[in-house]
Amino acid sequence: MDSGRLAAGEVSGMRAASGEALQAIVSRVRGEDRETRMDAAREIRQLTKTSARHRRHLAGAIEPLVAMLRDENLDCVEVAILALLNLAVKDERNKIKIVDAGALDPIITFLQSKNSNLQEYATAVLLTLSATSHNKPIISSCGAIPLLIDTLINGNPQAKIDAIMALYNLSTISSNLETILKSHTIPPLIAVLKTCNKSSKTADKCCAILESLLAYDEGRAALTAEQGGVLSLVEVLEEGSLHGREHAVGALLTMCESDRNRYREIILKEGAIPGLLELTVHGTPRSRIKAKELLHLLRKSPYQRSELEADALENIVCSIVSGMEGEDCAGKAKKMLAEMVQVSMEQSLRHLQQRALVCTSSEIPLKTCKSEVPLK
């Protein structure tokens, strides 16, 4: 990736490139000589790293860069795909132009490449292109979803992260959910969720996708059939970010609402009560509501002692939330909550210790994950 990087002084000079100079670069990328085109693509990549103006004025290079994606020379392909990636980031019009220029066919092919770098770049481009609503149905219709799931299983760590983010973008179209579900997405999502940082953006998006998929019977069956599937959501409920915990409690609530008798015991056995109780005090407004609703559904447990404790604690916590005022409200509630959940925590301790023994896998290296990739 760095072989085409220019000296700092050259890049600084190009940042102030005139319109005439930019058009000269576009002309060179349209030329017949491969090396000239590759040099121009490298310049475009560098110029578009930091400048929205350059992305706009170099949009004329999109068609010849897309043509370079079909070159038999791998180096030529790589410089073109990285230039296109930087042209697309934070520029909605360029995202659409890249798709309209026919980039999806070669990019979909690269997802299947045995070259891990090329597969990673292709996944990053799909992530960025799928950030705009115009492109989502087009990308889906090209058969990208099963290939993204295959990348989620077999790709390198960064490609897996980008695949999750791209799948999340595509999952916001409801018609895509059945395609995502039929492609057996839940097992690889759980595999990533087990090993990643539970408060990461990756975990947030995994839980968001799972929340959507659990609206289907097939999704709920797949999650409960996966060893540690429900437990992974409970762990996010305890350790996740505010957004991740909101999606996790939403996923568990969706399960319990669909068939309380079937899923209540499963959720209780994974030790969800302490995390839910804390969420009623410290969660987002939506997650507080969801946590209370789920506690209400869980309180009629077949385990009599757990039922009484969960019911009493739920009522006490709800009373705290509704009755306390002032800046120190959260601190006082947290202290009281810690005392109230002690019994439930002790009941869960043995299970938590067993969980710690099996969670020995190394974590996937994480980077900041947004709806599109960072500039390359």
Side-chain angles (χ1 to χ4, degrees):
M1 288 174 59
D2 297 327
S3 60
R5 186 168 293 172
L6 302 181
E10 293 178 272
V11 174
S12 177
M14 288 192 299
R15 285 176 182 161
S18 66
E20 184 178 340
L22 295 173
Q23 288 306 308
I25 296 172
V26 174
S27 295
R28 284 193 285 121
V29 83
R30 292 179 182 276
E32 295 185 3
D33 180 71
R34 177 187 286 160
E35 289 300 325
T36 300
R37 294 199 306 271
M38 290 173 63
D39 286 342
R42 293 186 184 103
E43 291 182 46
I44 291 168
R45 177 191 168 198
Q46 294 296 332
L47 284 165
T48 51
K49 270 189 174 183
T50 57
S51 172
R53 170 181 172 270
H54 288 158
R55 290 184 206 114
R56 183 170 61 253
H57 286 285
L58 289 168
I62 287 174
E63 287 189 8
L65 286 170
V66 169
M68 289 172 65
L69 296 179
R70 296 179 171 84
D71 197 291
E72 60 184 16
N73 182 285
L74 181 59
D75 291 336
C76 183
V77 170
E78 287 193 0
V79 297
I81 199 170
L82 290 171
L84 286 167
L85 179 59
N86 282 4
L87 279 165
V89 172
K90 300 180 182 178
D91 193 303
E92 297 302 297
R93 286 181 295 180
N94 282 354
K95 289 181 178 70
I96 294 170
K97 287 179 180 178
I98 290 169
V99 169
D100 289 346
L104 287 181
D105 284 345
I107 288 170
I108 292 295
T109 300
F110 300 153
L111 278 183
Q112 305 168 71
S113 174
K114 293 182 180 180
N115 183 307
S116 63
N117 284 338
L118 193 57
Q119 185 187 58
E120 178 184 327
Y121 303 154
T123 309
V125 172
L126 278 181
L127 162 56
T128 298
L129 295 179
S130 66
T132 185
S133 58
H134 175 275
N135 291 340
K136 292 179 183 181
I138 304 172
I139 293 171
S140 304
S141 66
C142 289
I145 288 174
L147 296 175
L148 285 169
I149 294 167
D150 186 65
T151 301
L152 180 56
I153 298 170
N154 300 310
N156 66 35
Q158 187 57 51
K160 289 184 178 184
I161 292 171
D162 290 346
I164 289 171
M165 304 303 290
L167 285 168
Y168 169 76
N169 286 347
L170 297 175
S171 74
T172 59
I173 298 181
S174 57
S175 59
N176 283 337
L177 290 175
E178 289 191 22
T179 303
I180 293 172
L181 188 58
K182 289 176 181 177
S183 300
H184 306 291
T185 314
I186 286 181
L189 282 175
I190 294 300
V192 171
L193 195 55
K194 284 179 179 179
T195 57
C196 74
N197 185 324
K198 299 303 182 291
S199 62
S200 68
K201 294 291 185 181
T202 302
D204 291 354
K205 298 307 181 185
C206 279
C207 289
I209 298 170
L210 288 169
E211 183 179 9
S212 297
L213 296 180
L214 293 182
Y216 298 85
D217 287 338
E218 299 93 329
R220 296 188 291 272
L223 180 73
T224 53
E226 193 67 21
Q227 184 175 5
V230 176
L231 175 58
S232 296
L233 288 172
V234 171
E235 289 176 334
V236 175
L237 196 67
E238 297 171 346
E239 307 166 22
S241 70
L242 286 175
H243 290 301
R245 298 176 81 186
E246 184 175 306
H247 290 304
V249 71
L252 295 172
L253 178 60
T254 297
M255 292 178 66
C256 212
E257 284 179 329
S258 71
D259 190 338
R260 181 172 64 172
N261 291 332
R262 181 177 181 182
Y263 296 114
R264 183 178 62 213
E265 182 178 350
I266 295 172
I267 295 170
L268 284 171
K269 281 185 176 180
E270 298 298 357
I273 295 297
L276 289 171
L277 289 169
E278 184 179 355
L279 204 56
T280 62
V281 177
H282 299 294
T284 65
R286 289 182 63 190
S287 61
R288 290 179 189 180
I289 293 170
K290 290 179 180 180
K292 291 175 186 177
E293 290 176 353
L294 183 53
L295 282 167
H296 177 75
L297 292 174
L298 294 176
R299 65 182 179 177
K300 293 185 178 181
S301 168
Y303 305 102
Q304 185 175 2
R305 182 180 177 188
S306 297
E307 174 186 349
L308 294 173
E309 289 174 354
D311 190 42
L313 289 172
E314 178 194 0
N315 292 334
I316 293 171
V317 172
C318 291
S319 176
I320 290 173
V321 175
S322 62
M324 295 184 67
E325 297 180 354
E327 294 182 358
D328 196 39
C329 167
K332 292 177 181 177
K334 184 175 181 180
K335 181 178 178 181
M336 295 177 68
L337 180 62
E339 296 172 355
M340 288 187 293
V341 303
Q342 184 62 38
V343 175
S344 293
M345 290 293 289
E346 288 173 356
Q347 287 182 328
S348 301
L349 180 59
R350 183 174 301 173
H351 176 67
L352 294 172
Q353 288 172 334
Q354 292 173 343
R355 179 192 309 174
L357 291 175
V358 299
C359 293
T360 57
S361 301
S362 60
E363 292 189 351
I364 293 177
L366 297 176
K367 298 182 180 179
T368 301
C369 296
K370 300 181 180 179
S371 63
E372 51 187 92
V373 299
L375 292 156
K376 298 290 185 180

